Amino acid sequence: MERGIAHDLHRLPELGVTDRAVLDALLDSQWAGVLSTVADGEPVAVPMLYARDGDRVLLHGSTGAGALRAVAARAPAVLTVFALDALVVAPTTFESSVNYRSATIRGALTRVDDVALDVFSEVLIPGRTAEVRPSTPKELAATQALSLPIGADNWLLKVADDWPATPEEAGAGPDVWSGLVPVRTVLDPPVPAPWAVDLPVPRSVRDLGA
C-alpha cells in the first residue's frame, strides 16, 4: 500500500493520514481542485476540473492558458483538493470548526495523448463519449491534456473527523447545544436545455444520480 507524507505536517500532525485508499476516495468524490504553479515569475492558482485515473490525475485546458503552458514545460506544480464534510458546532465559537478532507499532490506534469481526454470525460460522466461525436482535430489541437502522477511520497492528506470539544474542554456550561451539521453534495434530476426538452435523457446522465 502506498503511503503519503504525513510526517511533513507541522500543524495538527495528528490529522495526517497515510492510507492511499483514503486519498483515492477523496479524489474520486470531488470534481474540482486548484492547480498552483509559478508562471513568468509569479504565483498562479487556477481552479480546474480533474479526473483520477489509477495512479495519475488528469487535467486539461486550453493550449493558450499560461498556467498550463508553464506546467507543461515542467514548472513545479501542486494540486489541492478539499472536501467540507460537516460544520462542527462546539459549546464556544472558539472551539467551533469543520470536519474536512484535504489533499495536496506535488510534482511535474507531463503531456499525454488525446485518448486521455476521453478517459477524463468517462471518469466524470461514464458512458458519455459513446453518446456524442468524437472531438474534431481542431478541438484536440486547442486542448492540452496533462498527467500528474500519484507516487509513493508526493502527496499529503489531512482528515478532520471528530466531535466538537466537550463543555468541560471548552470551559462552557452544560446547557449549550453542540454537535455536527453534516454537509452533503447531491445531484438533482437533470434539467434539459430548451432545445432538448423533447429528447430522452441519455443513460450516462440518468446514471449520475443512481
Side-chain angles (χ1 to χ4, degrees):
M1 178 185 297
E2 291 183 350
R3 296 190 174 274
I5 47 177
H7 59 273
D8 282 357
L9 280 174
H10 300 296
R11 185 175 183 275
L12 301 177
E14 68 275 11
L15 300 183
V17 175
T18 59
D19 188 340
R20 169 63 190 274
V22 180
L23 173 70
D24 288 351
L26 168 59
L27 296 177
D28 294 348
S29 72
Q30 305 298 305
W31 287 339
V34 177
L35 181 68
S36 302
T37 187
V38 176
D40 299 324
E42 296 290 335
V44 180
V46 184
M48 298 187 69
L49 293 177
Y50 71 86
R52 184 182 72 88
D53 177 39
D55 290 333
R56 64 179 183 172
V57 175
L58 298 175
L59 303 107
H60 80 291
S62 169
T63 54
L68 286 190
R69 288 201 307 269
V71 296
R74 311 291 284 181
V78 57
L79 177 70
T80 302
V81 176
F82 180 86
L84 177 62
D85 294 323
L87 299 177
V88 180
V89 185
T92 65
T93 56
F94 179 81
E95 294 291 346
S96 295
S97 182
V98 295
N99 281 342
Y100 67 91
R101 292 163 291 153
S102 68
T104 56
I105 307 172
R106 298 180 175 88
L109 282 78
T110 57
R111 297 177 188 266
V112 289
D113 59 34
D114 296 336
V115 174
L117 296 175
D118 282 346
V119 174
F120 187 100
S121 295
E122 284 298 305
V123 171
L124 268 64
I125 308 179
R128 186 58 175 165
T129 55
E131 299 169 346
V132 298
R133 65 163 175 79
S135 298
T136 67
K138 182 178 179 180
E139 290 169 340
L140 293 175
T143 307
Q144 189 161 229
L146 298 166
S147 172
L148 175 62
I150 306 173
D153 60 357
N154 70 328
W155 54 273
L156 187 148
L157 175 65
K158 293 174 66 176
V159 176
D161 182 15
D162 205 354
W163 292 104
T166 65
E168 294 77 15
E169 292 169 334
D175 58 345
V176 179
W177 186 92
S178 58
L180 303 177
V181 181
V183 176
R184 296 188 302 134
T185 299
V186 297
L187 296 177
D188 286 335
V191 179
W195 54 86
V197 292
D198 295 327
L199 298 176
V201 177
R203 180 174 180 177
S204 66
V205 177
R206 295 198 312 268
D207 288 349
L208 287 174

